[in-house]
Amino acid sequence: MEISALLTSAGINISICIVLLSLYSILRKQPANYCVYFGRRLVCGGARRYDPFWYERFVPSPSWLVKAWETSEDELLAAAGLDAVVFLRMVIFSIRIFFITAVVCIAFVLPVNYYGQPMVHKEIHLESSEVFTIENIKEGSKWLWVHCLALYIITSAACLLLYFEYRTIAKMRLGHITGSATKPSQFTVLIRAIPWSPDQSYSDTLSKYFTNYYSSSYLSHQMVYHNGIIQRLLRDAERMCRTLKHVSPEINCKPSLTPCTFCGGPTATNSFHILSNEGDSVQGVELGELTMTTTEQERPAAFVFFKTRYDAFVVSEVLQSTNPMLWVTDLAPEPHDVYWRNLNIPYRQLWIRRIATLVGAVAFMFVFLIPVTFIQGLTQLEQLSHAFPFLRGILKKRFINQVITGYLPSVILILFFYAVPPLMMYFSTLEGCIARSIRKKSACIKVLYFTIWNVFFVNILSGSVIRQLNVFSSVRDIPAQLARAVPTQAGFFMTYCFTSGWASLACEIMQPVALIWNLVAKVVVKNKDDSYETLRFPYHTEIPRLLLFGLLGFTNSVIAPLILPFLLIYFFLAYLIYKNQILNVYITKYESGGQYWPIFHNTTIFSLILTQIIALGFFGLKLSTVASGFTIPLILLTLLFSEYCRQRFAPIFQKHPAQVLIDMDRADEMSGKMEELHKKLHSVYSQLPLHSQKSSSKAESSTPFTSQELPDPEKLKPEEGDAIAKELWGFQGNESCQEHDVKSCPGASSPEHLTPKMIELHKRN
């Protein structure tokens, strides 16, 4: 690829980013768009409207960048939880390591690559990108020791930074465990595969078992039920609420009677009829009478509560029966994290589901080879013109050539990739994950494997096949083949960085789907209510993208270092944009407690080892035995470092330390909090959170067993220059802000829209 085509792609994406970021700085100030760009703030209060003729609303401003930069890590931890802090630490690590890598490789490796062959150089924009790669160095060159030294510096810096980050995040995870002393999951064990008995119910069987074997520590239990009539009532009530909030009470809620055509009696002409007696609407069934007895049947799963955290931990780790397929125990997820639908799946089916989803994911990876191969054909225009002679005239035009080779392939690949995260999330759901956070983590791993395979390996292999019509002949040829293929794809990886990196970040902050939906709701549907979605941060899409760019940066660092400045720009933008989105848009309802960091650490180690293997292949191709000999010990040292981190830090992310749990139990017993905690255990895992009195709901929402607490907005004050931000950051929280899960329905809270019974039923949902 020529540098001119690369510059064309960079210019297109820079223009897109500037336009979208400027539009965002204007659109975020419009009162009609608060529900799009400040959804997290709106969950805890309302926004004051502004004069629509205020001229500053239509002037772009960088105040949001300043606010994102000034927000500290402690404020971010209080606002969004540990997962958000860990994610931004991944971005910070990437900035640090690739800043070091860029300084070393741009200063030393790039000049060696550029002057590696005795040749007459053209102007920079007319040069081929391969001139800046290691391919331009002649065989047997003594300058290859520069690449080997740079490889040692990059690996040493990466391992050092990884160690300190792993240690810091491990401490933060321990602080997350001890700081959440009132979480009910620490006292709760999820039991599945309860044996069936014809003489008694699952509840009686479970009670008899734990009374017999854990009489000193067993407290109580809560059965899991099949989706029954109450769940359907709740869903119907929610749908009715969403419908009624768009109905104008002046038109549809006034009874208007006209004579019937057939019988002559009065007939209501409106869609809704106001009942004279509220009791007629519920047929005498009070809300408190809707109990679990109306469900269809018990399931062989239950939440079992224990008196101490240590007792629950021991039960979750011990094999309960001689048959491992019975009495399966796991530490329970948080109440808001439970994925109730999958608790109905029989445990004996889970291993079949995992195999089926694995086969489906692998099959989809192979199907995806078709568009990737087509995309690689666009980057190889010479072979494409030979295969399709009628395209030669069009491909000779310089601008079209630059657009097709420099911009179009990466755009097509990104469009195809939009189907990957939803499908992987569906596969993770089919696996039977018991928690939403576990499901998202599983989807993150699947998307990561899929992305690395298709964007990196398949692009390299398909490009090699198109050029040479061959594949690896043996395992020993893999380093050499990768060494030949990576420099030829350096141009494509750089354009992919522009489109999937820069442009995707600009689209992320613009929220185009939510913006269009809000526009339709305001203009087409004429919805005057401020309904909005409470979104969750898409870790399963953003972490794989971040790790992919890290892989591209490491593998191209000593081979094609021209990509490093573009990656640094991406990571800087990602830091500011993701922090802004976490603070303003996404709400934390559940989290994994930092479980994404081991994924990041292991993938970074894999990227380092892959880089060293590719460099080893290049040193072999260039006949540099000294550089090859020094690279092999580096691979072994990296593997030893990875094993040390796995032994030292990884267990903290897999289990809870008994020492910490026992200390927490003793502290609660001495302070007298243990009995109070025991009283609230049963209600928080209720599959149907229905209560007969409104006060009980308020009391429950104020219990310590809540999801991630939203911070006091007064603690996070904006800069003085942003008047809009002052109002939005001045939102005051309310007692019921934790009850909003998927959609807030302000229109349903007005008494003229719904009856009090329906209002309370919706609030319970």
Side-chain angles (χ1 to χ4, degrees):
M1 180 183 294
E2 293 184 356
I3 296 298
S4 58
L6 186 65
L7 294 176
T8 300
S9 178
I12 293 173
N13 286 280
I14 289 173
S15 302
I16 292 174
C17 290
I18 292 175
V19 170
L20 292 181
L21 292 179
S22 300
L23 281 175
Y24 168 74
S25 65
I26 296 174
L27 292 175
R28 69 189 292 270
K29 300 177 184 179
Q30 313 309 313
N33 296 329
Y34 289 168
C35 56
V36 178
Y37 299 117
F38 296 94
R40 184 179 172 277
R41 299 296 165 204
L42 289 173
V43 170
C44 291
R48 291 189 300 176
R49 297 300 183 233
Y50 297 90
D51 183 2
F53 299 103
W54 182 40
Y55 72 95
E56 291 185 8
R57 284 173 37 211
F58 303 98
V59 179
S61 62
S63 57
W64 64 275
L65 291 170
V66 178
K67 179 61 190 177
W69 178 265
E70 291 179 348
T71 303
S72 66
E73 187 176 275
D74 293 335
E75 293 172 334
L76 188 69
L77 181 63
L82 183 58
D83 281 344
V85 174
V86 169
F87 177 77
L88 286 179
R89 277 190 166 268
M90 296 176 188
V91 181
I92 294 173
F93 169 84
S94 301
I95 293 174
R96 290 172 177 170
I97 186 58
F98 286 110
F99 178 78
I100 298 172
T101 304
V103 169
V104 173
C105 294
I106 298 298
F108 301 103
V109 177
L110 188 63
V112 172
N113 291 344
Y114 187 70
Y115 295 105
Q117 293 279 2
M119 59 183 296
V120 178
H121 289 281
K122 306 175 185 178
E123 296 182 9
I124 295 296
H125 67 281
L126 298 177
E127 291 278 12
S128 173
S129 60
E130 294 182 358
V131 176
F132 298 91
T133 67
I134 198 174
E135 273 195 340
N136 199 44
I137 296 180
K138 61 182 180 181
E139 295 182 359
S141 175
K142 297 180 180 179
W143 289 103
L144 287 172
W145 66 267
V146 176
H147 299 76
C148 185
L149 180 61
L151 197 62
Y152 264 87
I153 295 174
I154 294 169
T155 303
S156 301
C159 292
L160 192 64
L161 290 174
L162 279 175
Y163 173 78
F164 286 116
E165 287 293 334
Y166 216 152
R167 186 179 66 178
T168 302
I169 295 175
K171 292 180 180 178
M172 295 175 68
R173 175 167 171 79
L174 292 176
H176 172 76
I177 296 173
T178 57
S180 56
T182 57
K183 283 193 174 182
S185 60
Q186 297 175 348
F187 295 86
T188 310
V189 173
L190 175 63
I191 307 291
R192 290 180 290 176
I194 302 174
W196 179 79
S197 174
D199 301 329
Q200 56 188 0
S201 64
Y202 285 118
S203 179
D204 295 336
T205 302
L206 185 144
S207 179
K208 181 178 179 181
Y209 177 88
F210 281 95
T211 303
N212 184 24
Y213 293 104
Y214 297 97
S215 57
S216 61
S217 59
Y218 169 69
L219 189 63
S220 63
H221 69 274
Q222 172 65 49
M223 296 301 300
V224 175
Y225 292 83
H226 185 71
N227 291 341
I229 185 174
I230 299 182
Q231 287 92 338
R232 290 195 292 270
L233 286 173
L234 290 174
R235 288 195 297 267
D236 293 342
E238 183 178 2
R239 293 192 190 101
M240 188 178 297
C241 170
R242 294 177 183 176
T243 303
L244 289 176
K245 75 173 184 177
H246 298 296
V247 177
S248 176
E250 291 81 5
I251 298 175
N252 295 312
C253 292
K254 293 181 179 180
S256 176
L257 305 180
T258 59
C260 177
T261 305
F262 299 99
C263 63
T267 303
T269 59
N270 294 300
S271 302
F272 299 95
H273 178 65
I274 297 179
L275 299 175
S276 58
N277 185 6
E278 185 183 336
D280 297 337
S281 62
V282 293
Q283 298 293 331
V285 178
E286 296 295 332
L287 188 66
E289 297 177 8
L290 294 176
T291 62
M292 194 63 72
T293 59
T294 58
T295 54
E296 296 178 5
Q297 58 180 344
E298 290 180 339
R299 307 303 296 169
F303 293 96
V304 182
F305 311 112
F306 293 87
K307 296 179 181 179
T308 64
R309 300 173 180 85
Y310 179 73
D311 292 333
F313 175 74
V314 171
V315 173
S316 66
E317 294 294 326
V318 174
L319 191 65
Q320 301 297 325
S321 170
T322 55
N323 184 358
M325 298 293 289
L326 297 177
W327 297 107
V328 180
T329 58
D330 295 286
L331 275 178
E334 287 299 309
H336 287 283
D337 195 16
V338 177
Y339 196 70
W340 292 97
R341 183 185 304 174
N342 281 350
L343 296 185
N344 293 323
I345 300 174
Y347 183 80
R348 60 182 179 273
Q349 293 182 6
L350 293 182
W351 68 275
I352 302 176
R353 287 172 171 263
R354 294 190 183 102
I355 294 175
T357 54
L358 177 62
V359 172
V362 173
F364 183 65
M365 290 174 65
F366 281 100
V367 171
F368 209 80
L369 290 174
I370 299 174
V372 173
T373 305
F374 170 74
I375 290 165
Q376 280 303 315
L378 295 179
T379 62
Q380 308 292 332
L381 287 186
E382 294 182 1
Q383 287 76 13
L384 192 64
S385 61
H386 286 300
F388 304 98
F390 61 90
L391 296 176
R392 292 178 182 176
I394 300 176
L395 298 178
K396 287 181 180 179
K397 296 181 180 181
R398 184 171 184 82
F399 179 75
I400 294 178
N401 188 306
Q402 293 174 356
V403 171
I404 292 177
T405 59
Y407 183 70
L408 193 58
S410 55
V411 171
I412 295 175
L413 185 61
I414 291 171
L415 292 177
F416 277 105
F417 258 96
Y418 277 118
V420 176
L423 184 61
M424 296 305 171
M425 183 65 79
Y426 177 70
F427 283 154
S428 298
T429 303
L430 290 181
E431 282 183 345
C433 298
I434 61 175
R436 299 178 186 274
S437 60
I438 297 176
R439 182 184 61 160
K440 185 169 286 189
K441 179 185 173 183
S442 176
C444 175
I445 296 174
K446 291 182 177 64
V447 175
L448 176 63
Y449 290 160
F450 186 92
T451 304
I452 291 178
W453 169 252
N454 283 282
V455 176
F456 185 77
F457 288 103
V458 174
N459 271 288
I460 289 175
L461 298 179
S462 60
S464 177
V465 169
I466 290 174
R467 288 189 307 272
Q468 303 175 10
L469 297 178
N470 65 353
V471 293
F472 301 143
S473 58
S474 66
V475 177
R476 293 180 298 176
D477 294 337
I478 292 179
Q481 291 289 350
L482 290 175
R484 292 190 185 97
V486 171
T488 60
Q489 297 300 319
F492 170 77
F493 290 147
M494 281 186 273
T495 59
Y496 187 82
C497 174
F498 301 151
T499 52
S500 180
W502 299 358
S504 294
L505 286 175
C507 291
E508 162 65 28
I509 200 167
M510 274 292 294
Q511 295 288 311
V513 176
L515 190 64
I516 294 172
W517 177 255
N518 181 61
L519 182 64
V520 171
K522 299 286 185 181
V523 178
V524 180
V525 186
K526 303 295 184 180
N527 178 22
K528 297 181 180 180
D529 296 326
D530 292 327
S531 59
Y532 51 89
E533 297 286 344
T534 53
L535 304 176
R536 310 289 182 264
F537 190 84
Y539 293 106
H540 64 296
T541 62
E542 303 310 316
I543 291 178
R545 180 181 287 117
L546 192 70
L547 287 169
L548 173 65
F549 286 128
L551 175 69
L552 296 180
F554 282 120
T555 53
N556 288 275
S557 57
V558 297
I559 294 176
L562 202 60
I563 195 177
L564 295 174
F566 305 125
L567 285 176
L568 269 179
I569 295 173
Y570 164 77
F571 289 125
F572 274 114
L573 280 176
Y575 176 75
L576 296 173
I577 289 176
Y578 285 135
K579 182 183 280 190
N580 175 80
Q581 297 297 89
I582 290 171
L583 290 173
N584 295 324
V585 178
Y586 299 109
I587 185 172
T588 302
K589 197 69 175 181
Y590 55 86
E591 64 172 350
S592 66
Q595 292 284 352
Y596 292 105
W597 178 257
I599 300 174
F600 182 86
H601 175 88
N602 295 333
T603 308
T604 304
I605 293 294
F606 169 78
S607 302
L608 287 173
I609 295 175
L610 181 62
T611 302
Q612 296 159 4
I613 292 174
I614 294 173
L616 180 64
F618 250 113
F619 295 151
L621 291 176
K622 297 299 180 179
L623 304 179
S624 177
T625 56
V626 176
S628 299
F630 276 97
T631 305
I632 295 175
L634 186 62
I635 298 175
L636 298 177
L637 291 174
T638 306
L639 290 173
L640 287 175
F641 169 77
S642 175
E643 182 62 21
Y644 170 77
C645 290
R646 192 180 70 85
Q647 298 290 337
R648 172 62 179 85
F649 300 115
I652 299 176
F653 293 82
Q654 299 169 358
K655 300 178 181 179
H656 291 175
Q659 177 184 2
V660 174
L661 297 178
I662 293 174
D663 290 340
M664 294 169 66
D665 289 333
R666 290 174 178 174
D668 286 339
E669 289 174 356
M670 293 179 63
S671 62
K673 295 181 180 179
M674 192 64 78
E675 293 184 2
E676 180 183 357
L677 297 176
H678 291 166
K679 294 178 182 179
K680 298 171 182 177
L681 281 173
H682 194 275
S683 61
V684 293
Y685 279 101
S686 176
Q687 195 169 351
L688 300 174
L690 297 173
H691 302 278
S692 59
Q693 296 180 357
K694 185 176 181 180
S695 59
S696 63
S697 175
K698 290 183 178 180
E700 184 176 310
S701 65
S702 62
T703 62
F705 298 118
T706 58
S707 61
Q708 174 64 38
E709 297 277 345
L710 293 175
D712 186 0
E714 293 296 329
K715 297 179 181 178
L716 304 176
K717 294 184 179 179
E719 61 278 9
E720 296 295 331
D722 194 351
I724 292 295
K726 287 182 181 179
E727 300 296 337
L728 295 173
W729 287 70
F731 291 163
Q732 299 298 323
N734 52 45
E735 287 183 328
S736 62
C737 66
Q738 297 295 332
E739 297 176 1
H740 296 274
D741 184 12
V742 179
K743 183 181 285 288
S744 176
C745 188
S749 61
S750 56
E752 64 269 22
H753 281 233
L754 296 174
T755 64
K757 294 292 183 182
M758 188 62 69
I759 293 172
E760 186 158 303
L761 183 61
H762 175 69
K763 287 182 178 179
R764 296 295 182 269
N765 188 29

